[in-house]
Coordinates of all heavy atoms in Angstrom, one line a residue:
E23 N 106.8 99.8 147.9 CA 105.7 100.9 147.8 C 106.3 102.2 147.4 O 107.4 102.6 147.7 CB 105.1 101.0 149.2 CG 104.3 99.7 149.6 CD 103.4 99.9 150.8 OE1 103.4 101.0 151.4 OE2 102.8 98.9 151.2
V24 N 105.4 102.9 146.7 CA 105.8 104.3 146.2 C 105.2 105.3 147.2 O 104.0 105.2 147.5 CB 105.2 104.5 144.8 CG1 105.4 105.9 144.3 CG2 105.8 103.5 143.8
L52 N 103.0 113.7 120.3 CA 103.6 112.9 121.4 C 102.5 112.2 122.2 O 101.5 112.8 122.5 CB 104.3 113.9 122.3 CG 104.9 113.3 123.6 CD1 105.9 112.2 123.4 CD2 105.4 114.4 124.5
T56 N 101.0 105.0 130.4 CA 101.3 104.5 131.7 C 100.3 103.3 132.0 O 99.3 103.2 131.3 CB 101.2 105.6 132.8 OG1 99.9 106.2 132.7 CG2 102.2 106.6 132.6
L80 N 102.2 98.3 120.4 CA 102.6 99.5 119.7 C 103.6 99.2 118.5 O 103.5 99.8 117.4 CB 103.2 100.6 120.6 CG 102.2 101.2 121.6 CD1 102.9 101.9 122.7 CD2 101.1 102.0 120.9
Q84 N 100.9 99.3 113.1 CA 101.4 100.5 112.5 C 100.4 101.6 112.2 O 100.8 102.6 111.7 CB 102.1 100.1 111.2 CG 103.4 99.2 111.4 CD 104.4 99.9 112.4 OE1 104.7 101.1 112.2 NE2 104.8 99.2 113.4
F85 N 99.1 101.4 112.6 CA 98.1 102.4 112.3 C 98.4 103.7 113.1 O 97.9 104.8 112.7 CB 96.7 101.9 112.6 CG 96.4 101.5 114.0 CD1 96.1 102.3 114.9 CD2 96.5 100.1 114.3 CE1 95.8 101.9 116.2 CE2 96.3 99.7 115.6 CZ 95.9 100.6 116.6
F90 N 109.1 107.1 116.7 CA 110.1 106.9 117.8 C 109.3 106.3 119.0 O 108.1 106.7 119.2 CB 110.6 108.3 118.3 CG 111.3 108.3 119.6 CD1 112.6 108.0 119.7 CD2 110.6 108.7 120.8 CE1 113.3 108.0 120.9 CE2 111.2 108.7 122.0 CZ 112.6 108.4 122.1
L96 N 110.4 102.1 135.8 CA 110.7 102.9 137.0 C 110.1 102.3 138.2 O 109.0 101.6 138.1 CB 110.4 104.3 136.9 CG 110.9 105.1 135.6 CD1 110.2 106.4 135.5 CD2 112.4 105.2 135.6
H97 N 110.6 102.6 139.4 CA 110.0 102.2 140.6 C 108.5 102.7 140.7 O 107.7 102.0 141.4 CB 110.9 102.7 141.8 CG 110.2 102.7 143.1 ND1 110.0 101.5 143.8 CD2 109.9 103.7 144.0 CE1 109.4 101.8 145.0 NE2 109.4 103.1 145.1
Y103 N 106.8 106.2 125.9 CA 106.6 107.4 125.1 C 106.8 107.1 123.6 O 107.6 106.3 123.2 CB 107.7 108.5 125.4 CG 107.8 108.8 126.9 CD1 108.6 108.1 127.8 CD2 107.0 109.8 127.4 CE1 108.6 108.4 129.1 CE2 107.0 110.2 128.7 CZ 107.8 109.5 129.6 OH 107.9 109.8 130.9
D122 N 89.5 101.5 124.7 CA 88.1 101.0 124.8 C 87.9 99.6 124.2 O 87.1 98.9 124.6 CB 87.2 102.0 124.0 CG 87.0 103.3 124.8 OD1 87.5 103.4 125.9 OD2 86.5 104.3 124.2
D131 N 96.9 103.7 130.0 CA 96.4 105.1 130.0 C 97.2 105.8 129.0 O 98.4 106.0 129.2 CB 96.5 105.7 131.4 CG 96.0 107.1 131.4 OD1 95.2 107.5 130.6 OD2 96.3 107.9 132.4
S143 N 92.0 115.7 126.3 CA 91.0 114.8 127.0 C 90.2 114.1 126.0 O 90.0 114.5 124.8 CB 90.1 115.6 128.0 OG 89.1 116.3 127.3
G148 N 84.9 114.0 121.7 CA 83.6 113.4 121.6 C 83.5 112.0 122.2 O 82.5 111.3 122.1
F149 N 84.5 111.6 122.9 CA 84.5 110.3 123.6 C 84.0 110.5 125.0 O 84.2 111.5 125.6 CB 85.9 109.6 123.7 CG 86.2 108.9 122.4 CD1 86.6 109.6 121.3 CD2 86.2 107.5 122.4 CE1 87.0 108.9 120.2 CE2 86.6 106.8 121.2 CZ 87.0 107.5 120.1
N159 N 79.5 102.2 136.4 CA 78.3 103.1 136.4 C 78.8 104.6 136.3 O 78.0 105.4 135.8 CB 77.4 102.9 137.6 CG 76.8 101.6 137.6 OD1 76.5 101.0 136.6 ND2 76.6 101.0 138.8
P161 N 81.9 107.7 135.8 CA 83.3 107.9 135.3 C 84.3 107.6 136.4 O 84.1 107.8 137.6 CB 83.3 109.4 135.0 CG 81.8 109.8 134.9 CD 81.1 108.9 135.8
R167 N 87.7 110.1 143.1 CA 87.6 111.2 144.1 C 86.8 110.9 145.3 O 87.1 111.4 146.4 CB 87.1 112.4 143.3 CG 88.1 113.0 142.4 CD 87.5 114.3 141.7 NE 88.6 114.8 140.8 CZ 88.3 115.5 139.7 NH1 87.0 115.7 139.3 NH2 89.3 115.9 138.9
Y177 N 92.7 96.8 143.0 CA 93.9 95.9 142.5 C 93.3 94.6 142.1 O 93.8 94.0 141.1 CB 94.9 95.8 143.6 CG 96.1 95.0 143.1 CD1 97.1 95.6 142.3 CD2 96.2 93.6 143.4 CE1 98.1 94.9 141.8 CE2 97.3 92.9 142.9 CZ 98.2 93.5 142.1 OH 99.3 92.8 141.6
V180 N 92.0 94.8 138.6 CA 93.1 94.9 137.7 C 93.6 93.5 137.4 O 93.8 93.1 136.3 CB 94.2 95.9 138.1 CG1 95.4 95.7 137.3 CG2 93.6 97.3 138.1
F184 N 93.6 91.5 133.9 CA 94.9 91.0 133.4 C 94.9 89.5 133.2 O 95.2 89.1 132.1 CB 96.0 91.4 134.3 CG 97.4 90.8 133.9 CD1 98.0 91.4 132.9 CD2 97.9 89.7 134.6 CE1 99.3 90.8 132.4 CE2 99.1 89.2 134.2 CZ 99.8 89.7 133.1
Y187 N 92.7 88.4 130.2 CA 93.1 88.9 128.8 C 94.6 88.9 128.5 O 95.0 89.3 127.5 CB 92.5 90.3 128.6 CG 91.0 90.3 128.6 CD1 90.3 91.0 129.6 CD2 90.3 89.6 127.6 CE1 89.0 91.0 129.6 CE2 88.9 89.6 127.7 CZ 88.2 90.3 128.7 OH 86.9 90.3 128.7
T190 N 95.8 87.7 125.1 CA 95.2 88.3 123.9 C 96.3 88.7 122.9 O 97.3 89.3 123.4 CB 94.4 89.6 124.2 OG1 93.3 89.2 125.1 CG2 93.8 90.2 123.0
P191 N 96.3 88.3 121.7 CA 97.4 88.6 120.8 C 97.5 90.1 120.5 O 96.4 90.8 120.6 CB 97.0 87.9 119.5 CG 95.7 87.2 119.7 CD 95.2 87.5 121.1
D195 N 92.1 93.0 116.0 CA 91.3 93.9 115.1 C 90.5 94.8 116.0 O 89.5 94.3 116.7 CB 90.4 93.0 114.2 CG 89.6 93.8 113.3 OD1 89.8 95.0 113.1 OD2 88.6 93.2 112.6

Side-chain angles (χ1 to χ4, degrees):
E23 292 189 4
V24 174
L52 173 62
T56 54
L80 293 169
Q84 293 303 309
F85 60 85
F90 166 85
L96 308 168
H97 166 65
Y103 302 92
D122 292 348
D131 185 19
S143 77
F149 279 76
N159 295 327
R167 287 183 180 150
Y177 183 80
V180 165
F184 173 75
Y187 297 113
T190 301
D195 182 11

